[in-house]
């Protein structure tokens, strides 16, 4: 079966998704909607689909079975629920929504209508990160002791005027931008997060009260500790993810492009042998967007998978809200997982 896809939002993320779909045999982009008609027209010429400024006409089209929501977060709930109520499968870019309440309403509608709701966490599909996950889940580094990760960019001239720095649109600052990716990965490796401590900083960009840096400490239910840092003042882009266990460590570095060559590194604890590492390099074009979509499409017929990705998005939003509370109240905040059940 070939699924007809509508994309809401013709910006960078929409183009990334459409480019990935153009390589797939089971999906085809047939329509795009964007508030800017010229942007929508340019997109349609590039991907050979029709365009409009009216997103409602796209989600109402009976031909279209899948909607990709590639807009800023403040629009996710309205668009997603409208599409879900018309029987469409929906993938929202991260963050899933602007709040846990919005995310829960989206998930409740998806459950009621028996369609898939997903959240776009493409970093899970980068080869180095997947290799590290395979090593860790296979037990090669023993029990996890700690996780440490950094993810940052330097912005660009005039970044203070970008929609990402407007909390009414984005829902926050850097914690709502790159933060969801690291929080998702932390959960993927550590399981449920029991408590969070956050310290936010507005150090360079004139965007107060939103943050350009977020420093995060997480504690899992298994007592592993995670230290995360996301930054808009990392003048040279960086990505690193380190997992340390009782028997060794596994590291993912780089994401290709400006982030540097993607590598997976494995080291075994051995007090009686020379220090050595296994290093695997991954080169070539970024396939994470396609792999993320492959995973999304493959789960349409499995009821147990319909809300799996969305649940990760909901949990991430709960962590973000707890981190903002932690910063404001200068205290560690416990996560109430009972309130996150759908």
């Amino acid at each position: 079966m070939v699924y007809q896809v509508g994309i809401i939002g013709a910006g960078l993320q929409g183009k990334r998704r459409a480019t990935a779909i153009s390589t797939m045999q089971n999906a085809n982009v047939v329509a795009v909607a964007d508030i800017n008609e010229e942007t929508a027209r340019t997109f349609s010429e590039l991907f050979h689909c029709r365009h409009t400024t009216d997103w409602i006409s796209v989600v109402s089209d009976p031909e279209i079975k899948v909607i990709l929501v590639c807009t800023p977060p403040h629009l996710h709930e309205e668009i997603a629920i409208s599409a879900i109520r018309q029987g469409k499968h929906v993938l929202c870019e991260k963050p899933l929504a602007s709040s846990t309440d919005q995310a829960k309403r989206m998930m409740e509608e998806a459950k009621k209508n028996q369609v898939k709701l997903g959240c776009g966490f493409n970093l899970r599909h980068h080869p180095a990160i997947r290799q590290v996950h395979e090593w860790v889940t296979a037990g090669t580094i023993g029990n996890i002791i700690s996780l440490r990760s950094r993810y940052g960019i330097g912005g660009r001239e005039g970044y203070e005027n970008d929609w990402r720095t407007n909390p009414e649109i984005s829902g926050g600052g850097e914690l709502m931008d790159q933060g969801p990716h690291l929080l998702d990965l932390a959960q993927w490796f550590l399981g449920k997060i029991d408590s969070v401590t956050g310290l936010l900083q507005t150090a360079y960009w004139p965007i107060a009260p939103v943050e350009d840096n977020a420093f995060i400490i997480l504690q899992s239910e298994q007592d592993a500790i995670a230290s995360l840092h996301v930054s808009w003042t990392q003048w040279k882009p960086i990505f690193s993810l380190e997992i340390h266990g009782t028997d060794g460590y596994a590291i993912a570095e780089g994401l290709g492009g400006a982030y540097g060559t993607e590598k997976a590194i494995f080291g075994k604890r051995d007090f009686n042998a020379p220090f050595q590492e296994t290093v695997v390099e991954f080169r070539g074009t970024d396939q994470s967007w396609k792999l993320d979509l492959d995973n999304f499409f493959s789960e349409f017929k499995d009821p147990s998978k319909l809300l799996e990705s969305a649940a990760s998005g909901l949990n991430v939003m709960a962590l973000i809200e707890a981190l903002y509370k932690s910063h404001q109240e200068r205290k560690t905040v416990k996560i109430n997982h009972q309130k996150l059940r759908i």
Side-chain angles (χ1 to χ4, degrees), residues 36 46 50 53 70-71 108 110 112 118 121 167-168 185 191 198 238 247 257 322:
N36 186 307
L46 184 61
R50 65 182 184 272
T53 58
C70 303
T71 68
E108 287 164 355
K112 182 166 62 177
F121 290 124
E168 293 184 2
L185 291 177
I238 190 171
D247 296 331

Side-chain angles (χ1 to χ4, degrees), residues 43 119 137 288:
F43 185 104
C119 188
T137 55
S288 66

Side-chain angles (χ1 to χ4, degrees), residues 13 16 94 120-132 149-153 174 177-182 184-185 188-189 229-231 234 236-242 251-265 280-289 291:
Q13 294 301 94
R16 283 172 169 163
K94 61 80 193 165
F121 290 124
N122 71 295
L123 287 197
R124 288 194 184 200
H125 300 281
H126 270 268
I129 296 171
R130 293 201 73 83
Q131 178 63 76
V132 166
S149 188
R150 296 172 293 162
Y151 194 19
I153 58 173
E174 168 67 327
D177 184 26
Q178 293 184 304
H181 278 305
L182 293 197
D184 174 62
L185 291 177
W188 197 34
F189 281 93
H229 177 207
V230 290
S231 176
Q234 184 77 40
K236 180 182 178 182
I238 190 171
F239 175 83
S240 68
L241 173 70
E242 306 173 22
I251 301 170
E253 291 182 350
L255 297 171
Y259 290 95
T261 300
E262 193 165 347
K263 301 176 183 178
I265 303 166
V280 183
E281 291 193 359
F282 301 91
R283 299 182 183 273
T285 58
D286 182 357
Q287 297 295 309
S288 66
W289 305 99
L291 294 172

